Amino acid sequence: MGKIEWAMWANEQALASGLILLTGGIVGVAGQFRGWQFAAYAVAAGVFVCLLEYPRSKRAKGTSVERTGQYCFTVCVKAFGPLTRNYYVRAFLHAAICVPGGFMLATVLGCVCLGIASLIYLAAAIRGEHWEPILPRKEIRKPVGESIKNPPQNPPPRPPPEMRRKQAGDLEKSAYDNPMSVTDDE
Amino acid sequence: MANCIVNYGFSSFILFVWMAINIFLFVWFYFFYDLGPQFFYTRHILGSALAWARAPAAVLNFNCMLILLPVCRNLLSLLRGSFVRCSRTMRKQLDKNLTFHKLVAYMIGLMTAVHTIAHLFNLERYNNSRQGVYDELSTALSDLADTENTTYLNPIRITNLIPTYFGFTSIAGLTGVVITLALILIITSSMEVIRRSYFEVFWYTHHLFIIFFAGLVFHGAGRIVRSQQRTNPPHNTTFCKDRPDDWGEIPECPIPQFAGGFPQTWMWVIGPMVIYICERLVRFVRYMQSVRYKKIVMRPSKVLELQLIKNGFKMEVGQYVFVNCPAISQLEWHPFTMTSAPEEDFFSIHIRSAGDWTDKLIDIMKKVPEGAEGPKLGVDGPFGTASEDVFDYEVSMLIGAGIGVTPFASILKSIWYKFKDSDPKLRTRKIYFYWLCRETHAFEWFADLLQVLEKEMEERGMGDFLTYKLYLTGWDQSHATHVMVHFDKDTDVVTGLKQKTHYGRPIWDKEFEQVRKENPTSIVGTFLCGPEALGKVLEKKCAKYSDVDPRKTRFYFNKENF
């Protein structure tokens, strides 16, 4: 599995964990379960994780596929610079976020999933991967060749006008043959 | 609209039946648990969350049964074979096996979510009830213990428990958490991005399904969903529910007895599990059969051709095999379409460098000395795909993009052999072949084949049996200049063939119009081996140019994709 970028799978797993944490938290709060404060925390944590993980990173090799509408999230995440770029930070962040989720049954699944995502991010960080924003490419105009800036000053040499005019009397000489066929069904 | 029915009718019907069964199961079991008198006391504690947990459980049973079946490729191959005499539409459904597998998986994911959320409520309510938070009746019900003449209703027997503790110490709770975790890992690693880029991660993680099914079978063993049993004299719930203190003391209200529901999941999934085990055994047996090398050829553009011989191996045109190379990886099987014709005494595959496994294979093959045997290979198959049907259509349009031309190499070679033997079984009157490719030097191994065919057809005066058009989609200025300079040569400068290479992508509207014009009353089969996007375009064109009138031209779209 030499070519795999673990961060891609970690990202999918973390996003899923964020959603599960969020759902568990909503259930805990809505049902007024015992320990609902942990559920309230899980709602906030779930939203945070989803926002952080939504923008996909640019792949080191190959084409990157964006998630729909991720551009604004990319800009926000990019603004944190090295904190979001580095996967060690993310791994430890996710590990820390997931711990309070373990105190309540509704959020324990989100906690475990996020823990797994944290481990995969750790593997990615050890392999030297980092988060790159996917930004729209600027169109680079190809530099125009030099000769186009200096058009010729004089017209090409031609025989005098009397010879150029078609001789109506002499049909043979005034006919014009195309060197290449100009019809397209050849 | 009418064209949709012609092309998509049968798939929609299958989906409709599947969805109808799902809805039926959900509604039936919802009302069974929500209205059934034996659950009256259970519902008193749990409310409607009981029914909301049990209804998705039934749907889950059904879908877990279904999910293993579409991936039993040997079974599907067998079914396909037995449908030979049936209509074309039946066989096409078996091509959509992976789509169906994914759909069932989504349903399993959704139902797992509903089931888990409902059970979270159930656990919370059972726990609260046990601690006396709710009304008198609930407390009385929860106090019922498991002794000689009482049976419990509330599976939480201790009063100072937290739900998490119960979740992890009960069979249902522990298996539930484990299998849901396995399911989540399977789903995240099966996302399109991961699957297309790192097949190995997807494949290995997917084997967590073994844990999933093992846990699923034991999930109900704890029998924690309890229903009221008949007692003698009977316990009248309507009368007795307001008098929990008098239970056992007055004749109308003996102490109610409860028992857990018999676990049923294993009954649903045992059949498919056995079938799947047989499927893996068949694959293993095929793997053990020896495969000998006839020839190893390195083609340009990092394409490897392997010509192999296996005893008792019979193939049809356009079929594919799964190849395993233990020297690279014990567990991985990768699919490749065969490029040889059934009439030859060997089978060949062309493998392009497209990832870890293929790169390693090409490296190993490069090092094999001339004439020696390569590394041990396992071959499973052949498996049928849509290309088998190409000779059933009077007129066929074959479209191959890049390396996707491989099944058609097999077909064209087979035509050549059938012509040489003047095979009367050939129903096809006309074939249109379109090859789209980005770069010129990938043409070579296929260009040789086309040159030979071209010559053969001219010799026999069968010039218009096969019409082929080559499209070079990655052209640039230098190509254009080159072509302009050699404009009036008889053969194409790129391929050396009589038919000239076109540049850019084909204009499908024009092509379909031309085919329709030249074949006003035929059924035209369209076969694609190439990218999804192109498949969608062609599917739309097929629907657009098909006539509902069965006497006029109709286009059927067949897609092959890995």
Side-chain angles (χ1 to χ4, degrees), chain B residues 76-88:
Chain B
L76 288 178
S77 214
L78 196 69
L79 272 179
R80 249 185 153 265
S82 64
F83 275 143
V84 158
R85 272 169 267 295
C86 275
S87 73
R88 199 173 289 138

Side-chain angles (χ1 to χ4, degrees), chain B residues 143-152 157 226 231 255-258:
Chain B
D143 279 337
L144 289 173
D146 214 12
T147 59
E148 314 92 52
N149 48 10
T150 52
T151 43
Y152 67 89
R157 302 309 320 141
R226 323 271 298 174
T231 47
I255 299 182
Q257 304 296 324
F258 297 93

Side-chain angles (χ1 to χ4, degrees), chain A residues 1-6 8-9 12-13 16 20 23 27 31-34 56 59 102-106 108-109 112-113 116 186, chain B residues 117 120-121 123-124 127-128 131 133 163-164 168 177 180-181 184-185 188-189 191 193-194 197-198 200-201 204-205 355-356 359:
Chain A
M1 296 190 223
K3 290 207 204 101
I4 175 174
E5 285 177 40
W6 291 103
M8 286 185 70
W9 184 25
E12 298 288 333
Q13 180 70 17
I20 294 171
T23 314
V27 167
Q32 287 286 301
F33 287 1
R34 211 173 288 256
R56 274 208 187 106
R59 283 172 65 173
F103 288 97
M104 199 184 140
L105 186 61
V108 83
L109 195 63
V112 177
C113 288
I116 293 178
E186 200 100 337
Chain B
I117 292 175
L120 285 172
F121 277 97
L123 262 187
E124 187 71 17
N127 196 32
N128 285 342
Q131 298 186 355
V133 170
T164 317
F168 280 93
V177 173
T180 311
L181 196 60
I184 292 170
L185 283 170
T188 53
S189 63
M191 292 278 114
V193 202
I194 310 282
S197 319
Y198 315 117
E200 290 86 1
V201 168
Y204 288 128
T205 322
D356 272 356
D359 278 344

Side-chain angles (χ1 to χ4, degrees), chain B residues 126-373:
Chain B
Y126 265 147
N127 196 32
N128 285 342
S129 166
R130 192 76 189 86
Q131 298 186 355
V133 170
Y134 297 146
D135 66 348
E136 203 191 322
L137 177 59
S138 303
T139 319
L141 284 168
S142 300
D143 279 337
L144 289 173
D146 214 12
T147 59
E148 314 92 52
N149 48 10
T150 52
T151 43
Y152 67 89
L153 165 61
N154 190 332
I156 300 183
R157 302 309 320 141
I158 327 173
T159 41
N160 56 353
L161 197 62
I162 51 169
T164 317
Y165 180 79
F166 184 79
F168 280 93
T169 50
S170 61
I171 298 179
L174 188 59
T175 50
V177 173
V178 167
I179 67 181
T180 311
L181 196 60
L183 185 68
I184 292 170
L185 283 170
I186 290 177
I187 290 180
T188 53
S189 63
S190 309
M191 292 278 114
E192 179 106 24
V193 202
I194 310 282
R195 198 173 75 235
R196 292 268 171 211
S197 319
Y198 315 117
F199 192 79
E200 290 86 1
V201 168
F202 156 70
W203 183 239
Y204 288 128
T205 322
H206 230 70
H207 280 81
L208 284 171
F209 77 86
I210 300 174
I211 298 182
F212 180 83
F213 275 92
L216 188 66
V217 167
F218 288 106
H219 188 59
R223 307 199 193 201
I224 57 176
V225 180
R226 323 271 298 174
S227 61
Q228 192 179 355
Q229 307 299 304
R230 294 186 73 81
T231 47
N232 195 5
H235 177 108
N236 183 340
T237 45
T238 345
F239 179 71
C240 301
K241 66 175 165 46
D242 303 311
R243 299 174 174 69
D245 293 328
D246 296 332
W247 289 350
E249 267 131 53
I250 52 177
E252 299 91 339
C253 301
I255 299 182
Q257 304 296 324
F258 297 93
F262 181 66
Q264 292 176 351
T265 306
W266 66 272
M267 295 194 290
W268 291 84
V269 299
I270 190 103
M273 276 167 75
V274 167
I275 293 176
Y276 188 75
I277 292 176
C278 292
E279 160 76 28
R280 292 299 282 249
L281 275 174
V282 168
R283 288 188 205 177
F284 182 71
V285 163
R286 287 221 170 132
Y287 161 76
M288 295 304 289
Q289 289 169 333
S290 69
V291 176
R292 293 186 322 277
Y293 288 82
K294 183 164 179 218
K295 218 188 206 186
I296 303 174
V297 188
M298 278 305 303
R299 298 283 183 188
S301 298
K302 292 226 240 180
V303 171
L304 167 71
E305 177 184 349
L306 291 176
Q307 294 183 1
L308 305 165
I309 303 177
K310 193 172 172 206
N311 283 334
F313 187 83
K314 282 203 185 35
M315 62 170 280
E316 304 275 331
V317 282
Q319 286 194 302
Y320 61 94
V321 289
F322 274 79
V323 176
N324 165 281
C325 185
I328 305 174
S329 167
Q330 289 278 354
L331 286 181
E332 290 173 39
W333 289 81
H334 294 266
F336 297 100
T337 311
M338 289 186 283
T339 46
S340 56
E343 289 84 359
E344 292 167 324
D345 61 351
F346 60 88
F347 66 95
S348 71
I349 46 178
H350 282 69
I351 301 171
R352 187 181 65 139
S353 159
D356 272 356
W357 192 88
T358 39
D359 278 344
K360 286 202 193 108
L361 189 72
I362 292 174
D363 276 336
I364 294 180
M365 295 296 176
K366 273 197 198 141
K367 298 196 183 89
V368 171
E370 196 67 43
E373 284 276 321

Side-chain angles (χ1 to χ4, degrees), chain B residues 502-519:
Chain B
H502 294 71
Y503 292 89
R505 295 185 186 165
I507 303 174
W508 292 114
D509 280 314
K510 265 178 62 185
E511 304 299 336
F512 274 83
E513 269 299 339
Q514 183 191 2
V515 173
R516 189 158 76 166
K517 206 165 56 140
E518 292 176 11
N519 305 279

